[in-house]
Amino acid sequence: MARNIQSLERAAAMLRLLAGGERRLGLSDIASSLGLAKGTAHGILRTLQQEGFVEQDDASGRYQLGAELLRLGTTYLDVHELRARALVWADDLARASGESVHLGVLHQQGVLIVHHVFRPDDSRQVLEIGAMQPLHSTALGKVLSAYDPVAHSEALETERKAFTDRTVCGARDFEQLLDLTRARGWAADVEETWEGVASIAAPIHDRRRMPVGAVGITGAVERVCREGELRPELIAAVRDCARAVSRDLGAGRF
C-alpha cells in the first residue's frame, strides 16, 4: 500500500485550519494546533506562501489563505457551472444529431471530457467522462487550441503524435488549421485520431467572452460525412448548441 506524503498532509491540515475559525493565525497558534515544531510549521507556511496558497499580514505577521486558492476554486466552480449549463443542450444535440456528444475543457496539456451523452440508440457504449483527448488531433482540442491562448501554447509546445496518416503534426500546418477554425467558428476531426471516426466541435464562451470549453459530436465517418464532406446540418447543430450554452453562461450572442 502506498504511503502518504507527510509534508503534504501537514500542508493540507494547515489550509483547513486557516479556512476555519479566526481569519488570521500566528505561527505559534498554527504549530500548537497541529502539534508541529515551529520550525517545521514555518517551513511549510513559507512554501505555501511562495505558491500563493497562503498570505502573511505585514503588520501582524499572521497568516491567512491566499488568492491562488480562490483562483483554483473558481476554476473548479467554472467547470461545474459549464457542465450544469450544458446538460440540457447536450441532450438536445444528441437527439438532433443522432450521435454522441462530448463536453471538454483544457486540462494538463489535453482535453478533459467533463460530460458525455450517449448516442441515442441501443448500441453498447462506454462512458468517457474523465477521459483525456489530445489537443492537436481532436475537434474539441483544435477548438480549444484556436480560442484559448494557454491551450494554443500547450498544443505547440508538446509532441504532436501522428495517430493516423491524416493527423496534422507540423507546426505551420497546425497553425493554418487553427486559423481556419477561428475563421469558420468550428473544428473537425475526420479520422485524424481514430480510424473510421469523425467529430465536429465548437467553442463555448463565458460572460467575459473567454473560451471555457468546447462541445462536439462524434460518430462513424459514414454518418457524420456525406459524399466525403461533413454534413452541414450537423455543423449547424453543434454551433447552435455551443451558442446556447454560451448564452446561458452570460456570453450574449455569438
Side-chain angles (χ1 to χ4, degrees):
M1 183 176 178
R3 296 172 58 187
N4 292 340
I5 300 175
Q6 188 180 56
S7 59
L8 292 179
E9 290 181 329
R10 289 172 171 175
M14 281 186 186
L15 294 176
R16 293 192 186 98
L17 180 64
L18 291 170
E22 296 182 32
R23 178 175 171 80
R24 295 188 179 97
L25 291 173
L27 174 60
S28 297
D29 297 325
I30 295 171
S32 61
S33 295
L34 299 178
L36 299 175
K38 282 188 179 181
T40 300
H42 185 255
I44 296 173
L45 284 167
R46 186 172 62 248
T47 301
L48 291 173
Q49 185 177 0
Q50 289 171 349
E51 295 298 327
F53 297 136
V54 165
E55 295 174 356
Q56 186 177 28
D57 180 67
D58 292 334
S60 66
R62 290 174 172 264
Y63 294 89
Q64 64 182 23
L65 294 179
E68 182 66 10
L69 280 175
L70 176 62
R71 187 190 70 80
L72 292 176
T74 301
T75 301
Y76 174 83
L77 292 173
D78 283 349
V79 169
H80 284 264
E81 182 184 8
L82 170 63
R83 184 175 182 276
R85 298 287 185 178
L87 289 176
V88 173
W89 298 111
D91 285 344
D92 288 347
L93 178 58
R95 283 192 294 269
S97 66
E99 303 296 345
S100 62
V101 175
H102 296 87
L103 183 70
V105 298
L106 176 67
H107 181 68
Q108 293 183 349
Q109 301 178 333
V111 182
L112 173 66
I113 304 302
V114 297
H115 186 54
H116 175 201
V117 183
F118 283 162
R119 185 171 62 254
D121 59 21
D122 295 327
S123 63
R124 184 175 181 179
Q125 301 171 63
V126 178
L127 188 65
E128 296 180 20
I129 294 175
M132 293 291 293
Q133 294 186 2
L135 283 171
H136 70 286
S137 63
T138 61
L140 293 171
K142 292 175 193 175
V143 164
L144 292 174
S145 299
Y147 288 90
D148 185 334
V150 176
H152 179 248
S153 297
E154 296 285 7
L156 287 177
E157 292 173 4
T158 56
E159 179 188 4
R160 291 178 296 281
K161 178 181 177 182
F163 296 103
T164 73
D165 58 6
R166 292 173 175 260
T167 309
V168 176
C169 299
R172 180 175 297 179
D173 291 339
F174 184 65
E175 285 283 21
Q176 291 177 348
L177 197 57
L178 298 187
D179 288 340
L180 177 61
T181 297
R182 285 185 287 267
R184 63 189 183 183
W186 55 274
D189 162 15
V190 181
E191 296 189 287
E192 294 177 50
T193 310
W194 303 281
E195 296 282 356
V197 177
S199 301
I200 304 167
I204 296 172
H205 298 80
D206 66 5
R207 62 186 61 87
R208 301 162 295 174
R209 298 293 183 101
M210 297 294 292
V212 292
V215 64
I217 62 169
T218 300
V221 171
E222 58 267 25
R223 295 195 306 266
V224 178
C225 299
R226 182 187 297 127
E227 297 180 355
E229 299 291 335
L230 292 162
R231 291 167 54 192
E233 66 270 24
L234 294 182
I235 296 172
V238 170
R239 297 192 71 190
D240 286 346
C241 177
R243 291 191 190 104
V245 179
S246 297
R247 285 196 299 269
D248 277 3
L249 289 171
R253 291 185 62 84
F254 263 85

